[in-house]
């Protein structure tokens, strides 16, 4: 039964899911039509809202490009590659490979989503090199599936926003939250830890069970995942001879600077020293910018010389193409979803209010989760979703007797849930794996229903 369901899901996604860029265009059209139909905005207003939003994610787009490039460059360092290959040697069977990748990715994403998203994909790629007969598509899907727990973990943007004192918290909650809510009531709340643990265990079991039989397995030739050679350097050294090549760069002052371990050491000392002061001494958080800095300066020191790090970054940079192209379109969709008509009606607000209209105290968290999942397909940003839904859902929850911390976590889970079928967040992992969204989303669709069942039951019976 499970095998037939998986085959149906995989075939459906591969047949109907277009390229992520085309998917973004389709979502743009759907959001525009819906905004005209349900909010009373004119076509001209919708176009203006779309254009006004296109560049609203520029900073975030750069962050995502950098976390991908710097994370990939770090993984390309000889010491890191050696460590990953040792870890990848532990699982001996395809089933064990899927289990290991799901657990590593999920735990890493719970600790920090940027770290987990990149490390999970890179680790999965190394396991594909080491374990014969493992399905490569399912392996990458398993690595990405762990991302669904990030909004219940230490880097979750919505719980951290609720834990940050300030006027913006009072404003976004329409006065229902007057003081910061500590993470002991959100991230470390008993019900949240139980739900997160159940999701990780369920994903591990389901992903492992989804591994196809040998005759249906999509294996990848390990040679295709091997290291690319620097052809330019080979051609140069081949023309003048290896001995002469080494002698030439040793005698060239510019090459001495390019290959200076001292310069790399000074640079890394500055960056890592800053992180030590900010996080360890001053008690700062490991946010996305700090993760990028950690990746970057560890990469510099582990590649030993500036020129080796430059080459690693150059090799990784092409993987960021999908992010650079598609994120502006998703920002435009956010502009359509969040902009209000003259009557103050927004499309995202309409979805949230529809949820409120059919809720009671018991069902409100569950329906908040489901509505957030729908909004997330069009607004795949935790901060953006919080700004749109919090002013509607938090006051409504208080009126029904639901604690704001629970409402916030319900929105957070919804924001993470439909990422399983939203190519927006999968782009970095797909770029590392050199796969298309339709290669993994069939498996992620099964995970989508599993996660929904766990979260719905959790909010119904644990809160």
């Amino acid at each position: 039964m499970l095998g037939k369901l998986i085959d149906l899901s995989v075939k459906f996604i591969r047949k109907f899911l277009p390229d992520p860029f085309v998917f973004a265009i389709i979502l743009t059209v759907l959001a525009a039509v819906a905004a005209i139909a349900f909010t009373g905005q004119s076509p001209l207003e919708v176009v203006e809202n779309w254009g006004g939003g296109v560049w609203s994610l520029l900073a975030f787009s750069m962050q995502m490009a950098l976390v991908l490039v710097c994370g990939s460059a770090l993984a390309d360092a000889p010491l890191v590659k050696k460590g990953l290959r040792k870890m990848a040697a532990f699982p001996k069977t395809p089933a064990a490979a899927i289990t290991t990748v799901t657990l590593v990715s999920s735990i890493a994403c719970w600790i920090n989503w940027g770290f987990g998203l990149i490390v999970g994909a890179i680790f999965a790629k190394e396991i594909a090199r080491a374990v014969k007969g493992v399905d490569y598509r399912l392996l990458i899907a398993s690595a990405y599936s762990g991302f669904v727990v990030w909004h219940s973990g230490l880097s979750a943007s919505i719980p951290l926003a609720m834990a940050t004192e300030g006027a913006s918290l009072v404003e976004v909650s329409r006065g229902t939250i007057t003081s910061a809510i500590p993470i002991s009531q959100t991230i470390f709340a008993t019900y949240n830890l139980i739900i997160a643990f159940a999701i990780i265990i369920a994903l591990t079991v389901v992903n492992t069970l989804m591994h196809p039989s040998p005759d249906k397995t999509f294996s990848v030739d390990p040679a295709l995942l091997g290291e690319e050679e620097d052809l330019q350097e080979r051609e140069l050294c081949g023309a003048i001879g290896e001995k002469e090549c080494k002698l030439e760069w040793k005698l060239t002052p510019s090459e001495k600077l390019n290959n200076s371990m001292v310069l790399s050491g000074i640079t890394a000392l500055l960056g890592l020293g800053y992180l030590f002061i900010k996080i360890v001494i001053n008690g700062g958080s490991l946010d996305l910018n700090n993760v990028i800095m950690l990746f970057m300066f560890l990469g510099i020191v582990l590649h030993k010389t500036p020129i080796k790090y430059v080459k690693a970054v150059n090799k990784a940079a092409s993987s960021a193409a999908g992010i650079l192209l598609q994120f502006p379109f998703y920002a435009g969709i956010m502009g359509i979803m969040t902009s209000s008509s003259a009557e103050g009606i927004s499309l995202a607000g309409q979805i949230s209010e529809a949820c409120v209209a059919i809720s009671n105290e018991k069902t409100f968290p569950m329906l908040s989760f489901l509505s957030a999942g729908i909004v997330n397909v069009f607004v795949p940003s935790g901060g953006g979703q919080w700004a749109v839904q919090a002013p509607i859902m938090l006051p409504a929850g208080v009126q029904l007797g639901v604690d704001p911390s629970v409402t916030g976590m319900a929105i957070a889970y919804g924001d993470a849930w439909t990422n399983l079928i939203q190519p927006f967040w999968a782009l970095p992992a797909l770029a590392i794996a050199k796969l298309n969204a339709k290669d993994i989303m069939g498996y992620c669709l099964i995970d989508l229903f599993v996660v929904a069942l766990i979260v719905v039951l959790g909010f119904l019976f644990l809160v």
Side-chain angles (χ1 to χ4, degrees), residues 156-360:
S157 57
I158 291 176
L160 293 179
M162 290 193 291
T164 303
E165 198 80 56
S168 61
L169 179 62
V170 178
E171 181 181 354
V172 78
S173 67
R174 298 284 174 88
T176 55
I177 302 178
T178 55
S179 60
I181 298 175
I183 59 174
S184 60
Q185 298 179 29
T186 53
I187 295 173
F188 290 106
T190 301
Y191 74 88
N192 179 60
L193 294 176
I194 293 173
I195 292 173
F197 179 77
I199 289 174
I200 293 174
I201 297 302
L203 287 178
T204 302
V205 172
V206 171
N207 288 344
T208 303
L209 291 175
M210 281 197 291
H211 197 280
S213 57
D215 59 306
K216 294 182 179 180
T217 296
F218 179 85
S219 298
V220 64
D221 184 352
L224 298 177
L225 302 175
E227 302 170 30
E228 299 176 7
E229 296 177 307
D230 191 338
L231 296 178
Q232 185 177 1
E233 185 175 341
R234 282 184 59 203
E235 290 173 3
L236 175 62
C237 290
I240 63 176
E242 185 176 350
K243 183 177 180 180
E244 290 78 4
C245 182
K246 291 182 178 179
L247 181 62
E248 181 173 313
W249 73 255
K250 283 183 179 179
L251 296 176
T252 304
S254 62
E255 288 297 335
K256 287 185 177 181
L257 292 174
N258 289 345
N259 290 276
S260 171
M261 294 178 63
V262 174
L263 290 179
S264 286
I266 292 173
T267 306
L269 185 62
L270 285 172
L272 296 176
Y274 167 78
L275 288 176
F276 182 83
I277 293 170
K278 183 175 181 180
I279 297 173
V280 178
I281 296 179
N282 295 337
S285 62
L286 192 65
D287 59 21
L288 182 55
N289 287 337
N290 291 335
V291 169
I292 293 170
M293 286 191 70
L294 183 64
F295 283 172
M296 180 181 292
F297 291 104
L298 281 178
I300 289 172
V301 72
L302 291 177
H303 277 284
K304 297 183 180 179
T305 68
I307 195 63
K308 287 182 179 179
Y309 188 68
V310 168
K311 290 177 180 179
V313 169
N314 286 340
K315 188 167 72 173
S318 62
S319 299
I323 293 172
L324 300 178
L325 173 63
Q326 293 169 46
F327 275 37
F329 282 83
Y330 280 107
I333 295 170
M334 286 176 57
I336 295 173
M337 293 288 296
T338 59
S339 296
S340 300
S341 65
E343 293 75 24
I345 302 173
S346 70
L347 188 54
Q350 289 284 79
I351 296 172
S352 300
E353 288 173 359
C355 160
V356 172
I358 59 173
S359 299
N360 56 41

Side-chain angles (χ1 to χ4, degrees), residues 423-453:
F424 179 89
W425 291 105
L427 291 175
L430 293 170
I432 291 170
K434 301 189 185 303
L435 290 177
N436 195 284
K438 65 182 180 182
D439 293 321
I440 70 168
M441 289 298 173
Y443 301 107
C444 291
L445 183 61
I446 301 295
D447 289 334
L448 180 84
F449 291 112
V450 172
V451 171
L453 179 63

Side-chain angles (χ1 to χ4, degrees), residues 114-180:
F115 174 75
L117 188 61
I118 299 303
V119 167
I122 292 172
F123 183 54
K125 197 172 177 180
E126 286 299 328
I127 283 190
R129 290 163 52 94
V131 180
K132 293 182 179 180
V134 65
D135 191 283
Y136 187 56
R137 296 172 302 184
L138 177 58
L139 194 65
I140 300 302
S142 300
Y144 179 61
S145 68
F147 186 65
V148 77
V149 301
W150 82 273
H151 247 320
S152 65
L154 300 179
S155 63
S157 57
I158 291 176
L160 293 179
M162 290 193 291
T164 303
E165 198 80 56
S168 61
L169 179 62
V170 178
E171 181 181 354
V172 78
S173 67
R174 298 284 174 88
T176 55
I177 302 178
T178 55
S179 60

Side-chain angles (χ1 to χ4, degrees), residues 1-7 206 209-210 446:
M1 179 63 182
L2 179 61
K4 290 182 179 180
L5 185 61
I6 294 167
D7 287 342
V206 171
L209 291 175
M210 281 197 291
I446 301 295

